[in-house]
Amino acid sequence: MHSYDYALLLAFFALVLLPAPWLGRFYYKVMEGQRTWLSPLLGPVERGCYRLAGVDPATEQSWKTYALALLAFNLAGFGLLFAVLLLQGHLPLNPQHLPGQEWSLAFNTAVSFMTNTNWQSYSGEASLSYLSQMLGLTVQNFVSAATGLAVLVALCRGIARRSASTLGNFWVDMTRATLYGLLPLCLLLALLLVWQGVPQTFTDYVHALTLQGADQVIPLGPAASQIAIKQLGTNGGGFFGVNSAHPFENPSAWSNLFEVASIILIPVALVFTFGHYVKDLRQSRAIIACMLALFVIGGATALWSEYQPNPTLNSPLVEQTAPLEGKESRFGTTASVLWSVTTTAASNGSVNNMHDSLNPLSGMVALVNMMVGEVIFGGVGAGLYGMLLNVLIAVFLAGLMIGRTPEYLGKKLQAREVQLLVATLLVMPVGVLVLGALATSLPGPAAAVSNPGPHGFSQLLYAYTSASANNGSAFAGLGANTTFHNLMIGLGMLIGRFGYILPVLALAGSLALKKSAPVGQNSFPTHGPLFVTLLLVTILLIGGLTFLPALALGPVAEYLSLGL
Amino acid sequence: MTTLVRPALSLIVLMTLITGAVYPLVVTGVAQVAFPEQANGSLLRDDSGQVRGSRLLAQPFSGAGWFQPRPSAADYATVSSGASNLAPSNPALAKRVGEQAQALYVPAQGPVPLALLTTSGSGLDPHLPPAAVAYQLARVAAARQLPLPALQALVEQSTLHPLVGPPVVNILALNAALDQLAPASK
């Protein structure tokens, strides 16, 4: 590692941690409808939206109505996107005259963007019109992140409120999250990215005559505006096929720093938002500490692994340094690993290097980050509501150990809450192990792998983990654009999204109804180092027990066979 | 149910207008005024105004008189871009790297830098680390009949040192500058 590597790591942590307390408070004020400096500008837009949609912002919803509203809105978004993708050949803003997507691919893409996954079985520059990218994908990039944020604040209210039957209003939460929470930051990031070299134009692709006289087509488009939200909204779907490895999507070391920090900027801030809801910032600091510990353990392991030269390339003719296959020169090893760890810890899924070519243990860190359920900062909203589920499980385990009714912040956890928690524990095993086993054991689907040996299995394992965790990154050699994988990966994404959202809302509704018991001397404190350790162990144990056998067959077997 | 249908449909339409139309148009408007060069693809033009490429996208070069960029798994295709996605354990990777090393190896200069033997993530990596450029200096200088120090000075001028990333040389810009200095024999 050189001085610029340390400078990058320092700048990254400074950019995501320093603004978090301020930004977290801003999100609390915005979601609770308090006045901020953006209100004079965006207030009229917000009120106009409610008037046109026939929404009364003062009316609150029970958890069931909140969930139905969320499902109706997501269904409408899916329908619109599915139609745009199928029909793009007949729609305007299509300078390259690209045809519509095949139905199973359009289904996969529409589910993928609606669920904030952004798994991509297509290459943007070769198959999507400017209209599909803008009116179709960019919109879902915004509202899927806003949906995650809405579910999070519903859960926060459920924990904070006493004897309440409502959780807020989904229409209001979604609108505020989009307008105040995402748009202003995206405008700022998009312009920073254009300054660094990301295109933003509506002109046709340009034909160039190369220095040696060959023909070269230069793909363009409104890229910066979409890349900004794909990073900030933990979406991850690239404008170009190779995502943020593409020099137009991520032109320099500086654009790389801005993009990688944007991945977890909002998820880190939201932990403080939670602290404001429950009026106890010590809880936020404990959760941040646990997330940071998991992030640093994974990051350090992946960095160490990725600096090992590949032993199969050992020859006196070949320089023996950290592997560069699938990596860009302007990023090098450290920036590539930092991105891989961040994008899988948060459910972003954009890549600046090809995960298929990572050393086995660095690839395994990416897998583990997703397998623990995207709770290490995680997606916008989704990361923290996933983490709060783990917090409740840890509290339940602590309650079993000391023989008292478990309670979190004064709320007793009883049979119904524990049943709902267990339901969410089943999401990842079903999505990864059941669907993954199906894909691996059927000869047709299994033929999609492109690498021999254990790594081929890892490719399928990665695909179904990425889908169920709503991440969207891939071991991209996998030929996933088949009807089977398009439909099954689509199913995995739906299970991974709504398998969490519905129990979380039910849990929020159930917690909101409860009275709050005073936090007494006998309550188990949930902000000290003891609880952070218990939480850490809970997360690793649940993930470890479920996925260790699968990891042993994939990355661990590859690691041992390489003799690294 | 009707209480859900109207807000769902009107809000998806409103959000589509705001985030799918107004937002990209505002970004485009500001970008085209503030950074027109970058917003339109950082195009490289010759004296006659003909577009010769983009500073950000690699081009293939053949011949000893040009600096070679990173190898490309997609043969420098721009539509669509692509990577090899070869696993470190895939024998095809070791075979390809071994063959490429045989072709590039210069005994006096030691082992070939890995950047010249491995394909990039995008297949369009416009840069090389300085060491991978230095490995090609003697060959290019001989082919262009240039004194080595003049070429070294040109490379040093073209080297970028970002604070938060490794130093790199833009190969397309370097080759364009090289052709101004000493045109390649046609």
Side-chain angles (χ1 to χ4, degrees):
Chain A
M1 302 240 301
H2 297 86
S3 57
Y4 49 78
D5 293 316
Y6 292 106
L8 170 70
L9 294 177
L10 199 68
F12 169 78
F13 283 110
L15 274 179
V16 298
L17 292 178
L18 295 183
W22 174 82
L23 199 59
R25 187 157 167 271
F26 171 78
Y27 278 115
Y28 172 72
K29 290 170 81 171
V30 160
M31 298 310 286
E32 289 306 297
Q34 297 178 16
R35 227 184 134 71
T36 62
W37 59 279
L38 283 169
S39 303
L41 198 65
L42 291 173
V45 182
E46 185 194 346
R47 289 189 291 275
C49 285
Y50 300 149
R51 203 167 306 130
L52 288 170
V55 170
D56 171 17
T59 312
E60 293 230 337
Q61 297 165 331
S62 69
W63 82 262
K64 281 185 188 149
T65 316
Y66 199 96
L68 282 174
L70 183 150
L71 290 176
F73 181 72
N74 275 249
L75 187 67
F78 167 83
L80 180 69
L81 179 54
F82 188 58
V84 167
L85 294 172
L86 280 179
L87 300 174
Q88 71 169 4
H90 306 287
L91 296 171
L93 264 180
N94 184 3
Q96 303 310 117
H97 307 290
L98 297 162
Q101 283 191 339
E102 184 266 334
W103 73 269
S104 75
L105 180 59
F107 166 80
N108 181 283
T109 309
V111 167
S112 173
F113 280 77
M114 175 194 69
T115 57
N116 198 253
T117 310
N118 300 32
W119 173 269
Q120 295 173 291
S121 285
Y122 62 88
S123 183
E125 67 271 40
S127 62
L128 285 186
S129 71
Y130 292 171
L131 185 93
S132 299
Q133 298 261 27
M134 251 171 65
L135 273 189
L137 301 187
T138 305
V139 176
Q140 282 303 318
N141 273 320
F142 274 98
V143 296
S144 64
T147 300
L149 218 162
V151 174
L152 173 68
V153 296
L155 179 60
C156 290
R157 290 180 190 133
I159 295 173
R161 289 179 178 182
R162 290 162 195 185
S163 313
S165 58
T166 59
L167 296 175
N169 182 317
F170 173 76
W171 311 117
V172 173
D173 289 342
M174 191 282 301
T175 307
R176 284 180 184 154
T178 306
L179 293 181
Y180 299 86
L182 298 168
L183 261 181
L185 276 174
C186 284
L187 264 174
L188 182 71
L189 179 63
L191 291 173
L192 274 176
L193 291 180
V194 178
W195 168 52
Q196 284 298 304
V198 178
Q200 178 74 24
T201 171
F202 288 98
T203 55
D204 295 3
Y205 292 5
V206 170
H207 284 268
L209 189 69
T210 66
L211 293 195
Q212 287 201 312
D215 197 39
Q216 188 190 38
V217 179
I218 298 176
L220 295 169
S225 54
Q226 187 171 333
I227 293 164
I229 181 61
K230 85 149 189 194
Q231 294 305 108
L232 283 163
T234 56
N235 293 283
F239 193 89
F240 300 102
V242 290
N243 213 296
S244 281
H246 199 291
F248 270 168
E249 193 142 338
N250 192 359
S252 67
W254 286 104
S255 68
N256 189 66
L257 171 64
F258 301 145
E259 289 185 20
V260 75
S262 298
I263 295 177
I264 57 168
L265 180 71
I266 297 176
V268 176
L270 288 178
V271 185
F272 288 95
T273 308
F274 169 68
H276 286 288
Y277 269 101
V278 298
K279 309 232 173 334
D280 185 357
L281 286 170
R282 294 173 309 175
Q283 308 296 333
S284 302
R285 286 192 282 270
I287 292 175
I288 290 260
C290 180
M291 289 173 163
L292 261 183
L294 286 166
F295 188 89
V296 169
I297 294 169
T301 311
L303 265 180
W304 169 80
S305 154
E306 206 52 31
Y307 268 99
Q308 312 298 315
N310 181 347
T312 69
L313 306 184
N314 195 357
S315 139
L317 306 192
V318 178
E319 184 193 36
Q320 298 299 309
T321 52
L324 286 174
E325 185 75 11
K327 293 191 182 68
E328 299 280 298
S329 310
R330 62 193 178 285
F331 308 143
T333 302
T334 304
S336 298
V337 172
L338 176 65
W339 188 296
S340 296
V341 173
T342 312
T343 196
T344 49
S347 73
N348 185 279
S350 60
V351 293
N352 77 347
N353 70 97
M354 293 302 127
H355 288 189
D356 231 347
S357 301
L358 284 172
N359 272 345
L361 292 189
S362 342
M364 189 170 83
V365 169
L367 267 167
V368 170
N369 278 346
M370 296 187 285
M371 283 169 171
V372 297
E374 297 293 18
V375 296
I376 312 171
F377 303 114
V380 170
L384 186 55
Y385 67 66
M387 185 50 125
L388 287 170
L389 296 176
N390 281 298
V391 167
L392 296 180
I393 292 167
V395 166
F396 174 66
L397 292 179
L400 289 183
M401 284 189 265
I402 57 177
R404 285 174 50 91
T405 308
E407 56 176 61
Y408 182 57
L409 303 174
K411 293 288 173 98
K412 282 197 165 62
L413 301 184
Q414 289 159 313
R416 178 168 164 79
E417 289 77 45
V418 176
Q419 282 160 4
L420 289 166
L421 285 175
V422 171
T424 64
L425 284 182
L426 292 175
V427 170
M428 287 302 290
V430 168
V432 178
L433 298 180
V434 177
L435 296 183
L438 205 61
T440 315
S441 50
L442 294 174
V449 303
S450 66
N451 282 295
H455 193 91
F457 170 70
S458 300
Q459 286 185 302
L460 284 167
L461 180 67
Y462 197 105
Y464 283 87
T465 305
S466 171
S468 309
N470 291 155
N471 182 275
S473 65
F475 277 2
L478 185 75
N481 186 13
T482 66
T483 308
F484 177 89
H485 288 301
N486 279 335
L487 295 181
M488 282 300 138
I489 289 175
L491 181 63
M493 295 188 282
L494 287 173
I495 295 174
R497 182 72 166 172
F498 298 106
Y500 279 107
I501 285 183
L502 296 178
V504 164
L505 287 176
L507 190 68
S510 163
L511 288 173
L513 277 175
K514 287 173 193 284
K515 292 195 196 76
S516 186
V519 181
Q521 290 222 314
N522 292 329
S523 310
F524 183 70
T526 51
H527 55 260
L530 182 64
F531 183 74
V532 172
T533 313
L534 181 68
L535 181 57
L536 200 89
V537 171
T538 307
I539 293 168
L540 292 178
L541 265 185
I542 293 173
L545 287 175
T546 316
F547 296 113
L548 210 55
L551 290 172
L553 290 174
V556 174
E558 188 188 9
Y559 171 77
L560 294 174
S561 73
L562 271 181
L564 258 164
Chain B
M1 283 313 284
T2 48
T3 54
L4 295 178
V5 173
R6 179 177 166 203
L9 293 181
S10 16
L11 279 176
I12 194 70
V13 170
L14 286 165
M15 291 300 135
T16 300
L17 287 176
I18 294 170
T19 66
V22 175
Y23 159 68
L25 287 172
V26 168
V27 175
T28 308
V30 178
Q32 288 289 341
V33 172
F35 313 108
E37 177 69 24
Q38 296 95 312
N40 293 307
S42 311
L43 300 177
L44 188 75
R45 292 173 195 273
D46 61 18
D47 298 336
S48 68
Q50 163 74 39
V51 177
R52 304 306 299 267
S54 162
R55 270 179 210 88
L56 292 173
L57 302 183
Q59 294 181 3
F61 284 97
S62 60
W66 300 92
F67 287 97
Q68 307 289 326
R70 295 282 300 277
S72 167
D75 200 18
Y76 303 97
T78 51
V79 182
S80 49
S81 49
S84 75
N85 284 307
L86 290 175
S89 58
N90 195 326
L93 176 67
K95 183 164 173 283
R96 198 201 68 213
V97 167
E99 286 168 3
Q100 183 88 356
Q102 289 285 352
L104 294 180
Y105 183 58
V106 182
Q109 302 202 54
V112 185
L114 207 52
L116 293 174
L117 303 173
T118 48
T119 63
S120 61
S122 62
L124 294 168
D125 187 348
H127 299 111
L128 272 184
V133 180
Y135 201 84
Q136 307 184 49
L137 273 177
R139 184 195 74 221
V140 175
R144 301 238 175 194
Q145 292 166 345
L146 271 172
L148 206 53
L151 199 53
Q152 255 160 352
L154 185 67
V155 170
E156 247 152 65
Q157 273 171 27
S158 325
T159 308
L160 304 168
H161 294 273
L163 276 175
V164 291
V168 283
V169 182
N170 186 308
I171 297 304
L172 186 62
L174 178 64
N175 276 336
L178 182 66
D179 223 27
Q180 296 273 319
L181 194 71
S185 47
K186 297 289 176 199

